[in-house]
Amino acid sequence: MDRVGFAGLGTMGAAMAANLLRAGYPLHVWNRTPGKAGPLVDLGAVEAASPREMSAEADIVVICVSDTPDVEAVLFGPDGLAHGAREGTLVIDCSTISPSATREFAGRLRERGVAMIDAPVSGGSEGAIHGTLTIMVGGEKDDVTRGHAVLAAMGRTVTHMGPVGAGQATKAVNQVIISGTYLAVAEGLVLAMKAGLDPDAVVSALSGGAAQSWVLTNRSGRMVENRYPLGFKVSLHRKDLAIALDLARQAGVSLPVTGLAAQLENGLVANGHGDDDMSALARSIRELSGM
Ligand code: NAP
């Protein structure tokens, strides 16, 4: 069985790493801020002091950190993975980052004999916990085949989308689509409440019809209560929309709904709500509606 390393034990990474342990993989883990590996060590993981140390013990290394510069730091920083990984190591980046930077990172690793695939995920913190994530993969066919068992231990649907970067481009499409769904569910629920309807009854009535969605099922409760525990941080979705809007500019595409969601999220971040779950888009619609 491949020895696996895991860098980034945040909301997603800690849960994904736990599923690799449950699948039987020998696992070395690392997190920038110490103190997050405890529950994984209890499940059998070994904590490493740096990405360099972690990758020296691994055949496959999974990364799940916040943003493009963070992946670059884990890979190429002074104690980075590139300095520890042996030739033939496979890097699987599950973070959501820029497709073009992904291609550049993969090229730099290739010069050292290290392969990389991009495998961003969707399905929320619940999907990470239950191992039911949707995973969109970019990379060479042989590398994707080699990484498949590790990905299948963390997700239910694993799809090879094309060369390196294609997974990240697909994830950008996912984030564009969920911008619209979150905004539409928020608008519908604020309308329901201000029109004097029972919002829980509305959700229940609509859930079997054409308005059904993951957001309606899993996030409407937070919007009704006006409490937004994580989940997925507004600031991280805002980061993803910057990636999508950049891709749209390069492709010559107009994304008005995505642009609106990005502007509303700028406002949420400016008002100190960047660490709220992204269902806090309902906060913006509530305020615009005088609620
Ligand atoms: P999170 O809870 O904020 O965790 C972020 C992780 O990245 C932490 O372990 C953090 O370490 C690490 N990190 C950040 N900057 C770093 C750096 N420069 N060097 C090393 N480590 C660094 O975020 P998350 O929700 O797990 O999201 C992780 C990735 O998955 C993001 O790209 C996000 O867009 C994506 N994603 C999230 C969700 C979701 O529902 N949460 C769903 C799909 C995809 P520290 O502990 O030291 O801060």
Side-chain angles (χ1 to χ4, degrees):
M1 203 169 207
D2 283 311
R3 296 168 307 153
V4 180
F6 203 110
L9 307 176
T11 307
M12 299 299 281
M16 292 158 71
N19 284 328
L20 291 176
L21 286 165
R22 288 187 197 104
Y25 284 102
L27 194 70
H28 282 69
V29 296
W30 172 79
N31 194 69
R32 177 182 59 178
T33 306
K36 294 204 180 163
L40 294 168
V41 170
D42 291 344
L43 286 173
V46 177
E47 185 170 11
S50 66
R52 179 205 289 255
E53 185 184 299
M54 181 197 67
S55 57
E57 302 296 331
D59 306 304
I60 296 180
V61 178
V62 184
I63 303 174
C64 190
V65 296
S66 307
D67 200 353
T68 306
D70 307 315
V71 173
E72 184 165 31
V74 170
L75 289 175
F76 304 110
D79 242 345
L81 186 157
H83 306 296
R86 285 165 293 108
E87 242 185 88
T89 303
L90 174 67
V91 173
I92 302 179
D93 180 24
C94 290
S95 325
T96 301
I97 67 164
S98 148
S100 55
T102 294
R103 288 190 286 274
E104 189 215 316
F105 297 161
R108 286 163 71 185
L109 287 174
R110 204 176 303 120
E111 287 167 11
R112 297 167 183 258
V114 173
M116 175 172 159
I117 61 178
D118 47 308
V121 305
S122 172
S125 46
E126 295 90 335
I129 291 166
H130 300 305
T132 55
L133 292 167
T134 293
I135 310 183
M136 300 137 265
V137 190
E140 298 289 325
K141 190 168 181 294
D142 289 351
D143 298 333
V144 174
T145 303
R146 191 172 154 213
H148 189 272
V150 165
L151 293 172
M154 302 186 291
R156 184 187 285 154
T157 312
V158 180
T159 311
H160 185 194
M161 301 305 303
V164 170
Q168 295 294 356
T170 307
K171 173 72 195 236
V173 174
N174 185 80
Q175 299 309 71
V176 165
I177 292 173
I178 68 167
S179 297
T181 337
Y182 273 84
L183 271 181
V185 171
E187 288 191 3
L189 288 174
V190 169
L191 177 62
M193 288 185 275
K194 286 208 77 172
L197 294 165
D198 172 352
D200 295 331
V202 169
V203 171
S204 163
L206 300 188
S207 288
Q212 195 277 332
S213 69
W214 185 92
V215 180
L216 186 69
T217 305
N218 294 288
R219 293 294 181 260
S220 53
R222 295 169 195 208
M223 296 181 182
V224 171
E225 288 175 20
N226 204 22
R227 286 183 52 252
Y228 307 99
L230 292 176
F232 182 40
K233 288 176 191 160
V234 168
S235 58
L236 287 179
H237 189 252
R238 179 66 190 87
K239 171 261 304 180
D240 295 352
L241 293 191
I243 293 167
L245 290 167
D246 190 45
L247 195 60
R249 187 183 48 74
Q250 290 166 29
V253 173
S254 170
L255 301 177
V257 175
T258 306
L260 174 60
Q263 291 303 321
L264 292 172
E265 289 179 356
N266 283 350
L268 288 167
V269 172
N271 283 295
H273 300 305
D275 283 346
D276 283 1
D277 183 72
M278 74 166 280
S279 47
L281 275 168
R283 215 189 263 287
S284 312
I285 305 300
R286 280 170 167 270
E287 280 171 15
L288 286 168
S289 308
M291 272 184 89

